[in-house]
Amino acid sequence: MKLSKLRNIAIAILMASALCSCSTPPSDGTYTFRILTTNDVHGQYFDSLYVGSSTRPSLMSVSWYVDSLRNALGKENIVLIDAGDCLQGDNASYYYNYVDTRTKHLYARMAEYMGYDAIAVGNHDIETGHAVYDRMKKDMNVPFLAGNAFVEGTDKTYFDSYTVLNRKGIKILIAGYTNPNIKAWLSPKLWEGIEFKSLMGLVQEDIDRLRQKENPDVVIVAVHSGTGAGDGKSYESQGLDLFKTLKGVDFLICSHDHRSAVHNSDEICLINAGSHCKMIGDGKVTLEVKDGKVVSKTLSADLIRVDRDKVDTRMRDIFRPDYEAVKAFTVQEVGHLDMDLRTADSYRGMSDYLNLIHTISLSCSPARISFAAPLSFNKTVKGGTLLYNDLFTIYPYENQLFVVSMTGREIKNYLEYSYQGWINTVADGQAHLLKIVDSPDQRTGQKRWSFVGRSYNFDSAGGLVYVVDVTKPFGERIVIESLADGSAFDLDANYNVAMTSYRASGGGSLMREGAGIDTDKIDERVVEYYPEIREILYDYLQKNSRITPELVGNPEVIGHWEFVPSEVAEPMLDADMKLLFD
């Protein structure tokens, strides 16, 4: 017999053997699996903050807990899944996204070390750009899933859409999806060649098809979508909408909104672990097998609070060189700050923090006006020597800067919409000027009083002189007196406005709902693209090594705005700020 024929027979036998092995039904008995979940890690890989001795929850704490369960229950009984936003938000992710691009990405190595079984793609993972997420897709030996991200004009997904685990003969299907509302968050340049589809309908169609194809015993769907209200109104928070409608799914893992949540029913459990490794989602499924078939199944879900002081010391040692590389990069001196920058000051009027953001934005030609909001709810950068690390506090995201053409009327309407999300009309007998409620907020860590809206959507304008009349209703609050240089402001004239790529793309709905601009066609209005705002800030510091209140507070550049009448606004602001921050 010829060697080639013998080889073909051998290959056929091996393939048949593999097929037989994969399709072998489980032995009769009871099987229990724990489904552990993380989401919105946002680069929090290390337990150290790089400067000082403070610690924080991190992947190293998650790894400690996961390994503890694996040792107690058996590795094969643990499934570990992340629901996205792992590649952006911290010094470490930034360093391996854009500085050290030759070494295999730190997150890929950590995910492999921790034994993740699948990772869904988040909107902030897409925000890193093609070069970064394409590298992850290629190099990471963990499925990187987004079943609703399609190669433009085709029915082929850009990322993998699902994976199947075989544990003791039990087949566990994991399908992953990204946020469908990417175009409202990010510049099209970041997701060129990809189109995103709604989760509603699509996920059920996929699960129906995959159940027929793979015949799984357990089905898990991980979506980078917020839990939402379940009213079908939020395109980017479709979690409860799916929870109420999906059939044939055991666990639905949500994310994106940074709010931990658990919903249990006999047929399906929803888990959202919140963000930044503070919690681990903990699902449990027990199956009874008779005659090789699952005859009963029980489900439950809960959350586990992470102990920041319990870390995987072996993991810490293995990745210590990476930590040292990130630390060396981020503790380099970049300038001097003559005052403290407090994001919280931005809620009551002009602040040194936002003055700095407006100033650097207006340094980008041909911008004459800028929009900006506090991107952290309550952060402070102390005056003194500025380290690169401080730039992540001043500007935590990798937003680009766009200069967009808008009419004066669109600018005025935009500001009306912004302040409507931020303040009440006191003439209506409101007890509070700021829109706050006596309720905790997981997003910010507030135990009691918190904003109703998201503070990163509270835009003010630089380059204008205007007042916000707190006694007037929405639509009549904003009175624009002039441009910063004293020239007249014309509602019918066109102006070049600097703003983040997030805002220009529709984030927060200020452009679409406020200004009435179709952000699907924003490219028609963009007159200039600039790099990431943190990079612009770094360049500004290289040029002006000493940042003073006078440098960033020049009224001929940034203009001026305030709440009026001051005798009404000031006492109410004092009281509201005391509730929020005392």
Side-chain angles (χ1 to χ4, degrees):
M1 189 178 292
K2 292 183 178 180
L3 285 176
S4 59
K5 190 171 183 181
L6 285 171
R7 186 170 62 250
N8 290 340
I9 292 172
I11 291 171
I13 292 171
L14 285 171
M15 290 178 66
S17 174
L19 184 62
C20 179
S21 172
C22 290
S23 60
T24 300
S27 301
D28 289 358
T30 302
Y31 298 80
T32 298
F33 299 95
R34 297 284 283 275
I35 316 300
L36 303 182
T37 73
T38 55
N39 55 269
D40 297 274
V41 169
H42 284 293
Q44 212 149 290
Y45 311 150
F46 296 113
D47 60 331
S48 170
L49 291 167
Y50 313 105
V51 177
S53 57
S54 300
T55 60
R56 60 183 178 176
S58 69
L59 284 181
M60 293 182 173
S61 306
V62 173
S63 184
W64 180 89
Y65 187 82
V66 173
D67 274 357
S68 299
L69 275 186
R70 284 174 175 152
N71 291 333
L73 304 177
K75 183 177 179 180
E76 70 278 8
N77 296 318
I78 305 299
V79 177
L80 181 59
I81 302 170
D82 186 272
D85 274 7
C86 42
L87 298 179
Q88 191 246 44
D90 185 80
N91 314 29
S93 51
Y94 178 85
Y95 183 79
Y96 283 97
N97 286 347
Y98 308 114
V99 181
D100 183 352
T101 57
R102 294 188 176 186
T103 304
K104 183 172 179 176
H105 199 288
L106 175 60
Y107 181 76
R109 288 180 281 130
M110 282 190 164
E112 292 166 11
Y113 169 87
M114 293 175 66
Y116 272 96
D117 293 294
I119 297 166
V121 177
N123 59 290
H124 284 292
D125 300 325
I126 298 294
E127 188 172 21
T128 62
H130 265 290
V132 177
Y133 60 78
D134 286 350
R135 178 158 55 108
M136 293 295 295
K137 184 175 72 163
K138 175 176 174 288
D139 293 346
M140 184 168 63
N141 294 321
V142 179
F144 202 31
L145 307 177
N148 62 324
F150 291 87
V151 176
E152 194 171 19
T154 76
D155 58 1
K156 183 178 184 297
T157 57
Y158 189 84
F159 300 87
D160 290 338
S161 57
Y162 76 100
T163 188
V164 178
L165 312 179
N166 194 315
R167 302 286 176 87
K168 304 178 184 176
I170 299 292
K171 294 180 74 174
I172 301 172
L173 170 74
I174 307 170
Y177 301 85
T178 192
N179 196 284
N181 206 25
I182 295 285
K183 68 180 183 179
W185 284 77
L186 306 175
S187 163
K189 292 181 180 296
L190 295 171
W191 42 275
E192 189 173 8
I194 309 175
E195 54 185 331
F196 303 92
K197 296 185 180 180
S198 174
L199 303 178
M200 302 309 295
L202 174 67
V203 176
Q204 187 65 67
E205 290 174 9
D206 283 354
I207 296 305
D208 291 344
R209 173 176 53 81
L210 291 172
R211 287 185 70 86
Q212 282 224 306
K213 178 183 178 183
E214 302 291 351
N215 193 28
D217 302 298
V218 178
V219 176
I220 303 167
V221 170
V223 298
H224 193 78
S225 182
T227 302
D231 56 8
K233 295 180 179 180
S234 177
Y235 193 55
E236 66 180 69
S237 294
Q238 297 180 319
L240 278 176
D241 299 331
L242 291 167
F243 177 76
K244 292 176 177 180
T245 59
L246 282 177
K247 304 298 180 186
V249 173
D250 300 303
F251 292 96
L252 174 65
I253 303 167
C254 297
S255 55
H256 185 61
D257 57 9
H258 295 196
R259 296 181 186 225
S260 57
V262 169
H263 294 270
N264 283 284
S265 77
D266 292 338
E267 279 80 37
I268 183 173
C269 293
L270 181 152
I271 306 172
N272 184 334
S275 71
H276 295 90
C277 303
K278 298 171 192 170
M279 299 273 195
I280 299 172
D282 183 17
K284 183 178 180 181
V285 56
T286 299
L287 305 101
E288 189 72 28
V289 176
K290 287 186 179 179
D291 299 326
K293 294 183 179 180
V294 174
V295 295
S296 70
K297 184 188 299 183
T298 58
L299 310 170
S300 64
D302 206 343
L303 294 169
I304 300 160
R305 185 168 294 279
V306 169
D307 186 341
R308 70 180 66 192
D309 296 322
K310 294 178 179 177
V311 299
D312 182 339
T313 54
R314 179 173 176 268
M315 182 180 184
R316 180 193 276 166
D317 290 343
I318 288 173
F319 295 102
R320 186 73 187 183
D322 297 282
Y323 170 79
E324 294 295 345
V326 175
K327 181 176 179 178
F329 172 74
T330 57
V331 299
Q332 61 180 306
E333 295 183 9
V334 294
H336 191 276
L337 190 63
D338 275 14
M339 66 291 197
D340 293 348
L341 299 180
R342 292 180 292 268
T343 61
D345 291 346
S346 309
Y347 308 130
R348 62 176 307 144
M350 296 184 71
S351 67
D352 288 329
Y353 168 76
L354 273 184
N355 287 352
L356 172 59
I357 304 302
H358 284 312
T359 297
I360 65 169
S361 298
L362 290 167
S363 71
C364 297
S365 177
R368 293 194 70 190
I369 297 168
S370 74
F371 292 147
L375 294 187
S376 299
F377 170 71
N378 184 22
K379 294 284 188 180
T380 298
V381 176
K382 291 288 188 181
T385 300
L386 271 179
L387 306 180
Y388 198 97
N389 185 65
D390 294 318
L391 304 191
F392 290 93
T393 302
I394 297 171
Y395 212 91
Y397 302 113
E398 270 80 71
N399 296 145
Q400 299 163 298
L401 187 78
F402 285 12
V403 180
V404 179
S405 177
M406 298 176 67
T407 67
R409 184 169 283 99
E410 289 168 340
I411 290 166
K412 197 265 188 188
N413 292 341
Y414 179 105
L415 290 172
E416 290 280 1
Y417 187 89
S418 175
Y419 285 93
Q420 171 66 5
W422 181 358
I423 65 169
N424 293 306
T425 299
V426 298
D428 294 339
Q430 294 284 345
H432 303 284
L433 173 53
L434 299 177
K435 282 191 172 176
I436 57 176
V437 289
D438 189 358
S439 177
D441 190 339
Q442 292 183 28
R443 298 167 300 180
T444 61
Q446 292 293 94
K447 304 299 184 196
R448 284 196 59 184
W449 288 90
S450 59
F451 280 113
V452 175
R454 301 192 178 192
S455 55
Y456 57 74
N457 288 326
F458 298 171
D459 274 18
S460 63
L464 292 176
V465 177
Y466 67 100
V467 296
V468 184
D469 191 331
V470 301
T471 67
K472 296 292 178 63
F474 169 56
E476 301 175 20
R477 292 189 181 117
I478 309 299
V479 178
I480 302 175
E481 298 172 3
S482 69
L483 294 171
D485 62 5
S487 58
F489 179 81
D490 185 347
L491 291 175
D492 295 318
N494 288 307
Y495 299 96
N496 292 323
V497 185
M499 65 185 71
T500 67
S501 51
Y502 166 71
R503 191 69 79 227
S505 300
S509 299
L510 277 77
M511 289 289 277
R512 186 180 292 271
E513 301 297 330
I517 291 172
D518 183 357
T519 52
D520 289 344
K521 299 177 181 178
I522 196 63
D523 281 353
E524 298 174 5
R525 287 177 173 256
V526 177
V527 296
E528 195 66 58
Y529 296 96
Y530 278 88
E532 292 165 5
I533 294 170
R534 194 186 305 118
E535 184 178 330
I536 298 170
L537 174 59
Y538 175 79
D539 291 341
Y540 187 83
L541 283 163
Q542 298 308 292
K543 182 179 178 182
N544 304 277
S545 59
R546 194 175 197 93
I547 303 299
T548 67
E550 294 76 23
L551 179 66
V552 300
N554 183 353
E556 294 183 1
V557 176
I558 63 170
H560 180 82
W561 76 268
E562 61 183 320
F563 289 116
V564 297
S566 59
E567 64 272 17
V568 174
E570 287 302 319
M572 297 188 76
L573 285 167
D574 288 342
D576 288 347
M577 293 291 283
K578 186 174 182 179
L579 290 173
L580 283 168
F581 300 110
D582 244 15

